[in-house]
Amino acid sequence: EKRARRVPMPQISVTPVYGAGKDGALCSLLKVGEDVSILLDCGWDDLFDVREVANLASVAPTVTHVLVSHPDVLHLGALPYAMKHFGLKADVYATLPVHKMGQMYLYDQYLSRQAVSDFDLFSLDDIDACFARFKTLQYSQTVQIKGKDKGQSVSVTPFNAGHLVGGTVWRINVDGEDLVYAVDINHRKDRHLNGATLEQIFDKPALMITSGSSALVSPVNKQVRDRDFLNSIMQALRGDGNVLLPVDTAGRVLELICVLEKHWQQHALGNYQLVLLTSVAYNTMEFAKSQLEWMNASFSTSFEHSRRNAFSTNFMKICHSKEDLVKLGRRPKVVMASLGSLESGPARELLVDWIQVPKNLVIFTQQPTAGTLAHHLHTAMADQVRVQVSRRVPLVGQELEQH
């Protein structure tokens, strides 16, 4: 009588590459046996300090797959650099919105910096080459991934994380055991996103990797928050001031657009201008219009009944540069401008122009990354903050001849 030989469970290990123990960019390595090495996120922050991602150099060539959880820089910002400089050649798995919005994030980062100085960490071609390696999945779609020797088989499945559009909780199954990667999740239902429902994803996982950066933050009453937010904006506008909202490129800014557009429509505020100012504003809005199935169910239901898309705005103007903004005239305005960190982009330019006028207002709608200009201003770490302003100036005369 022959007995079936039981194959032992492969050894599983998780190693933080960087980001553990602090609030910022994330990157970890999950190893399953000898031939499956999964990179869990590959983030950077808006400071783009190469020393922060140096540990990735020794890991990248061994990676067989990459799972990306969210489309922002903190979760995928180092991918083009790692593929260009560290030999990362693995396929990248993500949802469609993470793929498309992530590309918008990195385009905006590059264009904002290149507009004022040389940025050589990666190029637009590097970004395109990186995102050509993406394989997109729907929520609850399971795919089998193989290791280098095609031996060990692992399945991965994305589920809604509730934080950013397309944001993902990854369930990784190895020989019937569930491993869960759930960072930056949101259980609460937002205006434009459904909350994460972890109880529907797993029962008793063998391993769960999560983040605790918001564990000590008390939840706020959304109605009170929105009321105070809108009251502050209206007070500044009625005092003939401008309001600057430093925002991310294609993440939580979508919720802000919904809140402000609804308020403008309800109160007929056409005398005050509402503006989205990023280098990829048009593409971001067009993609948002086409991805209602990834958002709050009320969005798609409303579209089915009224054929009105939540992101077909009536009041908000789209601008791609400060020059576009100037053309709108001098009426009081609310400008949502990138980058949210104020490290570069039109938000930094407007800050310099507007901050010395007392009737103007700057509102931070999200926690800035430590070390950035936005963080210094938000936490009031110093009475004075020095801001370096860079501009491209055409060479003329003798300088041009010498060049």
Side-chain angles (χ1 to χ4, degrees):
E1 181 181 353
K2 292 184 179 180
R3 294 183 178 180
R5 196 177 78 173
R6 189 169 183 267
V7 178
M9 180 80 172
Q11 183 176 0
I12 297 172
S13 66
V14 179
T15 305
V17 180
Y18 52 83
K22 59 182 181 180
D23 189 13
L26 294 175
C27 183
S28 298
L29 183 68
L30 170 66
K31 296 197 71 173
V32 181
E34 296 297 322
D35 62 344
V36 177
S37 296
I38 302 173
L39 201 63
L40 302 173
D41 285 328
C42 188
W44 216 343
D45 59 37
D46 281 13
L47 297 174
F48 285 105
D49 184 346
V50 295
R51 294 171 296 182
E52 292 296 316
V53 298
N55 290 343
L56 192 56
S58 60
V59 170
T62 70
V63 172
T64 56
H65 309 85
V66 181
L67 301 183
V68 174
S69 62
H70 295 87
D72 58 345
V73 174
L74 293 177
H75 296 87
L76 55 69
L79 277 174
Y81 187 83
M83 290 184 179
K84 182 177 183 179
H85 296 282
F86 294 156
L88 178 64
K89 295 182 172 62
D91 288 334
V92 182
Y93 292 85
T95 61
L96 181 62
V98 168
H99 172 263
K100 291 298 184 183
M101 293 303 199
Q103 203 165 12
M104 294 301 104
Y105 265 98
L106 292 184
Y107 280 165
D108 198 26
Q109 286 282 349
Y110 175 83
L111 293 170
S112 295
R113 295 166 192 276
Q114 189 67 18
V116 295
S117 62
D118 291 337
F119 182 77
D120 57 5
L121 296 179
F122 51 80
S123 65
L124 292 177
D125 288 340
D126 296 327
I127 296 173
D128 289 341
C130 165
F131 282 88
R133 300 199 66 91
F134 271 58
K135 296 182 180 296
T136 58
L137 303 177
Q138 297 285 330
Y139 284 148
S140 302
Q141 179 185 351
T142 299
V143 64
Q144 299 286 331
I145 59 177
K146 297 284 188 179
K148 297 176 183 176
D149 300 327
K150 308 298 182 184
Q152 184 66 50
S153 179
V154 176
S155 67
V156 297
T157 311
F159 296 90
N160 174 41
H163 176 55
L164 300 176
V165 59
T168 301
V169 172
W170 286 102
R171 186 178 69 194
I172 306 159
N173 188 275
V174 181
D175 287 352
E177 294 286 351
D178 284 339
L179 318 176
V180 176
Y181 181 63
V183 296
D184 295 321
I185 57 177
N186 178 23
H187 296 277
R188 303 172 73 186
K189 184 177 180 180
D190 278 338
R191 190 179 299 268
H192 71 308
L193 294 176
N194 293 317
T197 52
L198 296 184
E199 66 275 9
Q200 297 178 9
I201 300 174
F202 58 83
D203 183 18
K204 296 178 180 178
L207 172 69
M208 182 171 180
I209 305 165
T210 189
S211 54
S213 59
S214 301
L216 301 179
V217 179
S218 300
V220 298
N221 183 294
K222 291 185 179 181
Q223 290 183 333
V224 173
R225 178 198 64 187
D226 290 353
R227 182 197 65 202
D228 293 345
F229 171 65
L230 294 169
N231 285 345
S232 298
I233 287 176
M234 295 312 303
Q235 184 177 355
L237 292 176
R238 287 168 179 148
D240 201 33
N242 296 310
V243 181
L244 172 62
L245 306 178
V247 296
D248 55 13
T249 304
R252 300 300 297 185
V253 66
L254 298 179
E255 182 180 21
L256 283 178
I257 291 169
C258 293
V259 170
L260 293 171
E261 179 71 19
K262 181 179 180 180
H263 186 72
W264 252 243
Q265 188 167 1
Q266 287 179 340
H267 299 276
L269 298 176
N271 289 333
Y272 304 119
Q273 295 175 329
L274 182 61
V275 183
L276 176 64
L277 172 56
T278 79
S279 58
V280 292
Y282 175 80
N283 290 335
T284 298
M285 292 303 296
E286 287 301 302
F287 184 74
K289 292 176 188 176
S290 68
Q291 296 302 309
L292 297 183
E293 71 269 23
W294 295 89
M295 301 183 193
N296 192 314
S298 64
F299 277 32
S300 53
T301 301
S302 175
F303 180 73
E304 289 172 1
H305 286 87
S306 66
R307 309 310 295 174
R308 184 184 179 279
N309 193 301
F311 294 100
S312 296
T313 56
N314 295 323
F315 291 92
M316 192 186 73
K317 306 294 183 183
I318 288 177
C319 294
H320 295 101
S321 66
K322 186 180 169 184
E323 290 71 26
D324 290 344
L325 184 67
V326 171
K327 293 176 184 176
L328 294 180
R330 300 178 61 86
R331 281 187 294 161
K333 54 181 65 68
V334 177
V335 181
M336 295 170 280
S338 63
L339 303 170
S341 64
L342 296 175
E343 284 301 297
S344 187
R348 187 183 180 99
E349 295 181 61
L350 290 179
L351 176 76
V352 173
D353 291 345
W354 290 0
I355 197 65
Q356 298 184 56
V357 181
K359 61 186 178 181
N360 292 338
L361 176 67
V362 179
I363 300 179
F364 294 100
T365 59
Q366 57 192 35
Q367 185 68 36
T369 303
T372 61
L373 174 58
H375 182 257
H376 288 303
L377 294 173
H378 184 257
T379 56
M381 294 176 63
D383 293 333
Q384 294 183 343
V385 177
R386 186 181 297 274
V387 180
Q388 179 178 326
V389 180
S390 301
R391 290 188 176 90
R392 287 190 178 274
V393 180
L395 298 177
V396 294
Q398 187 177 357
E399 290 180 331
L400 181 59
E401 292 176 2
Q402 290 176 351
H403 178 73

